[in-house]
Amino acid sequence: MVDPVLIGLAVGLIQKAAEIGMERFFADSCGPVAPMIAAPIPKPVIRRRDYSDGYGAISDANISVAHHLAGVRKAPTFLILEKFNRSGDGFVVPMLQGETAFLTLARDHYSIAALIVDLPRIRGGKPTLRGLGWADEFIASNNATVLRIPTKHPTIKLVQSVGLSGSDGTVPFLLPPPPVAKALPGGPALGTGRRTPAAAPGTPFVLPSATGQIRCDVCAAKFPTFAALADHKRWAHPSGGQRVVDWFDDL
């Protein structure tokens, strides 16, 4: 469960980013960071942000967030990192989805929440939560821990289960509508529970009346398209006289 203080901090950062602009916000939030690990030229220098707070044993972590929708990049993203079972001992890291946050952390067990958001359009407005992901990771390696957090479509139940809601169950985000089910070829949309009825044994499937120039080579019926002809032959002239079951029955 994420500490409510960290949720409030994340929302405050999101609203601040909306007010002053993302570029200036990241400059204000992260400040100048000295290069910690210089990669060989011409590779760019990796700049890490140190969140260890002077803790003795430290380790590096490279954290990225994978959007559950294809083709979405550069969306404002916030990582909420909290030491496992230590309420209030955490922090919020702003980043862009599709990029990597290079962090130096105290060696410990972390609960990490990843929030992909749309910034609020008005001052003080609620951000829209577009993607939600989480991970539990024990970060204590001599080498950098590489962590890629996938997201899911946020629902009220999912947001509450991760601990991003208040004591009364309310959430500080607007939630997008559920994704629209995609239609399968030649059938209804997924999730509708509707099936195309299968023909009874020995009963040919009868298409609605249609005229055209494409003739069936078995019964000489005419159809306007090759797709209609193929559908007719599939039902009216199944090979071997066997019953043809619609492919929806396999779902």
Side-chain angles (χ1 to χ4, degrees):
M1 303 290 283
V2 180
D3 189 276
V5 174
L6 295 180
I7 301 174
L9 175 60
V11 173
L13 290 175
I14 294 169
Q15 292 172 339
K16 180 181 178 182
E19 293 172 7
I20 68 176
M22 288 298 293
E23 182 176 351
R24 180 183 164 194
F25 168 73
F26 282 120
D28 291 347
S29 299
C30 298
V33 181
M36 298 296 293
I37 302 177
I41 299 175
K43 294 182 179 179
V45 174
I46 296 178
R47 299 178 181 271
R48 294 194 178 274
R49 185 66 176 173
D50 190 345
Y51 288 94
S52 64
D53 291 331
Y55 192 85
I58 61 174
S59 187
D60 292 333
N62 304 342
I63 304 177
S64 60
V65 179
H67 204 298
H68 56 285
L69 299 177
V72 180
R73 292 180 60 84
K74 304 298 183 183
T77 302
F78 293 80
L79 298 175
I80 301 179
L81 292 90
E82 190 169 34
K83 292 180 180 178
F84 192 73
N85 288 333
R86 300 187 195 179
S87 180
D89 192 2
F91 49 90
V92 179
V93 180
M95 60 181 295
L96 292 176
Q97 189 275 325
E99 297 187 349
T100 301
F102 298 101
L103 311 177
T104 297
L105 306 173
R107 294 191 175 190
D108 213 318
H109 187 184
Y110 288 88
S111 294
I112 308 173
L115 285 63
I116 301 177
V117 302
D118 283 345
L119 301 179
R121 296 182 178 275
I122 59 175
R123 180 184 293 269
K126 284 187 176 183
T128 300
L129 184 61
R130 292 293 180 183
L132 176 59
W134 60 93
D136 286 330
E137 189 76 14
F138 187 73
I139 299 177
S141 175
N142 289 331
N143 299 317
T145 298
V146 179
L147 185 60
R148 186 172 183 265
I149 303 177
T151 65
K152 294 184 178 181
H153 180 87
T155 62
I156 184 66
K157 183 177 180 180
L158 183 59
V159 170
Q160 291 175 344
S161 67
V162 176
L164 295 177
S165 60
S167 57
D168 58 354
T170 59
V171 298
F173 308 98
L174 299 176
L175 299 181
V180 178
K182 295 183 179 180
L184 290 171
L190 281 173
T192 59
R194 300 171 60 185
R195 298 179 175 182
T196 304
T203 304
F205 178 78
V206 180
L207 289 173
S209 58
T211 59
Q213 301 301 318
I214 305 172
R215 187 185 301 271
C216 174
D217 57 356
V218 179
C219 65
K222 295 181 179 180
F223 299 94
T225 65
F226 284 104
L229 172 62
D231 199 17
H232 160 77
K233 295 181 70 173
R234 172 172 173 245
W235 290 96
H237 311 295
S239 61
Q242 299 176 355
R243 179 187 177 193
V244 178
V245 180
D246 187 81
W247 61 287
F248 274 85
D249 290 344
D250 295 333
L251 295 179

